[in-house]
Amino acid sequence: MKYMIKRITTLLMTITFISSNVSPSLVIANADGVEIEEQSNTLRSSEEEILEKKQEELQLDDTQSILSNPSGNISLSEPLVSQNARQDIDQNQVKATSNMSNFYIDLPRTGAYNGEGTLSIRPFYFSGSSSMSRLYDLYIVMPLGLTVDGGVDALGTAYNQYLATNPMIISSPIFESLGKTVNGREVYKITTNGSATSPSSNFIDVPIRITDDTSITTIYGNSGTSPDTKDYGVLFAGLVEGTSISNSPPYSHQNVSDTVLAQVGVSNIKVVTIVGNAYVRKMSLFKAQTRDTYVLKEKNTGQILGTKVVQGASGDTYSRVGLVDKFSLWNQLDVTQYDENTYTIQEGEILDGEAVFSPQGTLGGDPNKVYPGHTYELYVNKIGKEVTVKYQDEEGGTIDVDRVLSGYFGEIYTTEQKEIPGYTFKQVQGNATGTFTEEAQEVVYVYERTEAAPV
């Protein structure tokens, strides 16, 4: 036992030395290096205490509790289980996951009201093994002030993209929206129906939108140990039968009734998440200057006819009346060349409605910067010049009435070769099929007279 403790103590000293240059796997990089360093020290001390306590309680192999994660960093965060318990797990062809390092989100320091971006979630971080690792079900409780942009469908798309880039994970997921907590936090469940052959350090990039409610000034994530931070948990794993995981910090192993999940009807299961003041994140909100762009295009050709820009603060609403609601407001155009009845805006928008400034890329943004908002497309048809179709004999004489075709610029026209008694078709001059342009066009069908045909 003394020899084992000496070996592990030596390893801890080595890890402490390495950690001066390598962040522990439980900490996701933050823009503030000082804060990360403080958090790393806190986490390292906590892990050392856990390890020393478990050394006295369990008979462990010298290196059993130490693993290298896929990024090359050293982690002490794998839950410590007894030798017998580990052997029992390894005897299963499919074992329950036992490692939840990085099982939390990392919020940037700033974000803009009504801003758009992606929230990176690391959903699985299990120990590698030659046998399969069974995936636990994933519960996501969005921080108050953040919503999944596109709801459960967008979450499903993001998760499937994650699977496509992680072939070591085999999953037939089911996605559900479980509703909202009493204070309005969205809750989702991913029933994974899956397993994995090796660890994955990648993230699900979930599209999110920040609230436009200015009464919310700060967004919080991840549970802390103090009473005012205990309900900030975002990620919870639903533990299946046979899962072996430590009940010691930084893991919280508890009945679902002790979590916000109970508020949306989840019951009769055990859940686990990472809990600790070092993991609590907060994002301060600001009103970002935002620039919306309106682009007018010729509908059939996509030709850009004009552009308008409007600027305001994120989350603020403005009216399109007097801005783009009428075609005549594009006064730089010769409106007589266009059909005003075809003037429309992209699907889902209203010409005389209202719009909200929604800045993009503002997670971790600069309050002094002007951010791009939405680019809206508007369409109108340009009136094309006529196409005249003529039917003539070889001397240029008319042998059937002319036909005049009309349509919008860029639209396709098609002419017709006729059967004319006493005449045989010889050739066509011009484009029998083409598009309406800004110039008038002529198509001539030429025929030769057959014998005995009337003159």
Side-chain angles (χ1 to χ4, degrees):
M1 182 68 178
K2 292 181 179 179
Y3 174 75
M4 177 184 68
I5 294 175
K6 182 177 180 180
R7 288 287 308 278
I8 293 179
T9 302
T10 302
L11 285 170
L12 280 173
M13 293 176 64
T14 304
I15 292 168
T16 302
F17 175 77
I18 295 174
S19 296
S20 63
N21 294 310
V22 181
S23 299
S25 65
L26 279 173
V27 178
I28 299 176
N30 189 291
D32 192 332
V34 175
E35 180 173 338
I36 285 296
E37 182 177 353
E38 293 173 353
Q39 293 171 359
S40 300
N41 292 335
T42 302
L43 294 177
R44 186 159 52 245
S45 299
S46 174
E47 291 167 340
E48 290 172 0
E49 291 173 3
I50 296 169
L51 184 58
E52 290 171 359
K53 180 178 179 181
K54 290 296 180 180
Q55 287 167 359
E56 297 176 359
E57 296 176 356
L58 305 174
Q59 296 297 319
L60 301 178
D61 180 86
D62 285 1
T63 59
Q64 183 174 328
S65 63
I66 300 174
L67 71 150
S68 295
N69 69 26
S71 63
N73 297 340
I74 302 300
S75 172
L76 294 177
S77 58
E78 184 181 17
L80 305 176
V81 298
S82 68
Q83 183 75 22
N84 292 336
R86 181 175 294 278
Q87 290 174 351
D88 291 340
I89 293 174
D90 288 342
Q91 287 172 359
N92 297 327
Q93 182 179 2
V94 179
K95 70 175 186 177
T97 177
S98 61
N99 194 319
M100 301 184 67
S101 304
N102 291 322
F103 193 69
Y104 72 110
I105 62 167
D106 202 23
L107 291 172
R109 291 184 175 277
T110 58
Y113 286 106
N114 211 48
E116 299 175 351
T118 56
L119 185 66
S120 295
I121 296 175
R122 190 195 298 273
F124 310 117
Y125 197 90
F126 39 82
S127 56
S129 173
S130 58
S131 61
M132 300 287 282
S133 294
R134 183 168 64 245
L135 304 183
Y136 39 72
D137 292 337
L138 184 66
Y139 294 89
I140 302 174
V141 185
M142 295 299 292
L144 182 62
L146 294 183
T147 56
V148 177
D149 196 7
V152 69
D153 291 339
L155 176 63
T157 298
Y159 183 78
N160 285 323
Q161 289 174 344
Y162 169 83
L163 293 179
T165 56
N166 290 271
M168 75 286 289
I169 297 176
I170 303 170
S171 177
S172 300
I174 299 174
F175 308 98
E176 300 174 74
S177 172
L178 302 184
K180 295 182 179 180
T181 64
V182 292
N183 64 346
R185 296 174 65 186
E186 294 181 347
V187 183
Y188 298 92
K189 179 184 179 183
I190 301 178
T191 304
T192 56
N193 296 319
S195 57
T197 56
S198 62
S200 168
S201 59
N202 294 330
F203 296 87
I204 305 175
D205 292 323
V206 180
I208 58 97
R209 180 181 293 277
I210 303 174
T211 183
D212 58 2
D213 182 359
T214 54
S215 67
I216 299 176
T217 59
T218 307
I219 294 175
Y220 297 90
N222 306 319
S223 296
T225 57
S226 58
D228 60 337
T229 61
K230 67 182 182 65
D231 292 330
Y232 294 160
V234 177
L235 304 181
F236 297 86
L239 301 187
V240 295
E241 184 178 355
T243 301
S244 176
I245 194 163
S246 170
N247 195 30
S248 301
Y251 305 108
S252 175
H253 185 191
Q254 56 194 330
N255 291 319
V256 72
S257 58
D258 298 328
T259 71
V260 293
L261 294 173
Q263 299 174 12
V264 293
V266 181
S267 60
N268 299 323
I269 65 169
K270 289 280 190 178
V271 295
V272 66
T273 187
I274 289 182
V275 174
N277 293 336
Y279 308 107
V280 175
R281 295 289 183 268
K282 64 179 182 178
M283 180 169 67
S284 299
L285 302 184
F286 65 94
K287 278 184 167 289
Q289 284 298 305
T290 308
R291 181 176 293 138
D292 279 359
T293 303
Y294 290 82
V295 180
L296 178 63
K297 294 183 177 182
E298 205 291 319
K299 187 172 184 179
N300 290 312
T301 64
Q303 177 187 359
I304 295 177
L305 305 176
T307 301
K308 289 187 177 183
V309 174
V310 56
Q311 184 170 313
S314 61
D316 287 356
T317 301
Y318 65 94
S319 174
R320 294 189 175 116
V321 174
L323 178 66
V324 295
D325 59 312
K326 295 180 180 179
F327 180 61
S328 58
L329 294 170
W330 297 86
N331 50 22
Q332 71 270 37
L333 295 176
D334 180 0
V335 295
T336 61
Q337 298 184 38
Y338 301 87
D339 184 353
E340 187 172 359
N341 294 324
T342 64
Y343 181 59
T344 57
I345 194 170
Q346 65 191 52
E347 187 177 357
E349 301 295 329
I350 302 175
L351 275 169
D352 57 357
E354 294 185 333
V356 181
F357 287 110
S358 303
Q360 300 177 30
T362 53
L363 290 179
D366 181 356
N368 299 314
K369 180 180 176 180
V370 178
Y371 286 89
H374 283 303
T375 297
Y376 299 99
E377 292 189 353
L378 300 101
Y379 313 99
V380 69
N381 288 117
K382 187 174 185 178
I383 301 171
K385 296 295 184 179
E386 295 176 341
V387 176
T388 303
V389 186
K390 297 182 176 183
Y391 301 91
Q392 299 177 347
D393 59 19
E394 293 177 286
E395 286 75 32
T398 299
I399 56 177
D400 201 280
V401 294
D402 294 347
R403 183 185 178 192
V404 178
L405 306 178
S406 60
Y408 295 121
F409 181 77
E411 280 187 337
I412 296 175
Y413 72 82
T414 302
T415 61
E416 179 185 4
Q417 175 188 322
K418 291 184 176 182
E419 296 291 335
I420 302 176
Y423 291 87
T424 301
F425 172 72
K426 183 177 180 180
Q427 65 178 356
V428 61
Q429 298 172 353
N431 296 319
T433 299
T435 58
F436 292 99
T437 66
E438 295 177 314
E439 302 292 335
Q441 301 177 72
E442 186 176 87
V443 180
V444 179
Y445 284 90
V446 179
Y447 296 77
E448 60 181 356
R449 187 163 59 90
T450 59
E451 293 184 7
V455 178

